[in-house]
Structures are given as C-alpha cells and as structure tokens.
Amino acid sequence: MLKLRLSRGGTKKRPVYKVVVADSRFARDGRFIEKVGFFNPLLPKEKKERIGLEAERIKYWLGQGAQPTTRVARILGENELMPMPANGNNPQKAIPKKDRKKEGSEEAPKAESKNEEAPKAEAKKEEAPKAEAKKEEKK
C-alpha cells in the first residue's frame, strides 16, 4: 500500500522531515518512490519556509490511492490540498501515564475475568461426563 508520510532527516535534536511517497512495508527513513515536499518543525508556524509541498504531485498520488498518515493529512489539510481530518478524541492524554492505571480500569477487568472463568470451567466439567456417557451408549 502506498503511503504519503514523513521521513526524518537532519541531525540529533534538530529534525527536518521530507514528505515522501513510499510503500508502507519500507522503513521510515528508507527507500521511497518520490519526494513531494518538506516540513521543518523548528521554524515558527507563521513562516512560509516551514512547509513546502508539490501540490500537483501530491494530488496525483492521492488519485493513485496513496493514503496519507495522520500527521501528513493534517499538513495537507492546513494547505487545503485535501479536507482537514477530524480531531481524535483521547481523554486519557491529559492524565499522566502513571496515574491512568490507578483509575480502577485495571482492577475491574481482572475481577470480571476471574468471575467469567469459573463458570466456563464448571461448564467444561459438566460436558465431559455427558460426552463419556454418549460414547458408552454407542458401544
């Protein structure tokens, strides 16, 4: 599957990205089919040099079935090359990761799973004698 995605370049702690068309099986910074733009996240948002895109080539690849990643879709949406994607909803994002697990979400499934396993085990025990009885009847 063809993807429009970012390929990282630049030095350590100073990233610069190329917008490339690549097969989804290839490595992020590896082989690509065509470079269709660039993105420099270190520049301020109002600067023109922050993003450069080849609109005609991007439209061509979108027409060929290339799927943009979420970040590239947002960049293309901001530059009006495609409709802006809907914002995702992750209410847990604002909560520190170490506090997310304490919300009872981890304890409740464990208790439920233990309760669910017990009836299943009992049902299996009941089915085994029935199967043996059927085998004896056939003989």
Side-chain angles (χ1 to χ4, degrees):
M1 171 192 250
L2 291 177
K3 290 269 189 189
L4 279 169
R5 66 180 180 199
L6 296 175
S7 176
R8 192 177 194 276
T11 61
K12 186 163 78 171
K13 310 262 183 174
R14 309 227 3 117
V16 177
Y17 296 93
K18 293 183 284 192
V19 180
V20 298
V21 178
D23 191 309
S24 61
R25 296 171 290 185
F26 296 154
R28 178 194 70 180
D29 300 335
R31 196 163 106 193
F32 60 88
I33 298 168
E34 183 179 354
K35 178 185 170 195
V36 292
F38 65 88
F39 171 58
N40 187 349
L42 299 177
L43 294 177
K45 290 185 179 181
E46 60 272 359
K47 280 218 170 188
K48 185 181 175 185
E49 299 86 30
R50 180 179 166 98
I51 298 172
L53 301 170
E54 296 177 21
E56 289 184 23
R57 293 305 294 166
I58 290 172
K59 288 177 184 176
Y60 168 78
W61 284 110
L62 290 172
Q64 295 297 315
Q67 295 294 315
T69 60
T70 53
R71 177 60 58 194
V72 172
R74 287 184 55 88
I75 291 170
L76 297 179
E78 290 169 0
N79 287 287
E80 300 173 359
L81 293 175
M82 66 179 288
M84 190 72 159
N87 290 338
N89 183 17
N90 186 0
Q92 296 288 319
K93 190 173 183 179
I95 302 169
K97 199 167 194 176
K98 62 182 180 181
D99 296 339
R100 290 181 200 171
K101 295 178 183 176
K102 295 179 183 177
E103 293 288 325
S105 60
E106 189 176 88
E107 296 172 7
K110 284 184 181 177
E112 291 175 16
S113 64
K114 288 181 183 177
N115 294 339
E116 290 174 3
E117 289 173 7
K120 289 179 184 176
E122 291 174 16
K124 288 181 182 177
K125 289 179 184 176
E126 293 174 2
E127 290 175 8
K130 290 179 185 177
E132 290 175 9
K134 288 182 182 178
K135 287 179 184 177
E136 290 175 11
E137 291 175 2
K138 289 181 182 177
K139 291 180 183 177

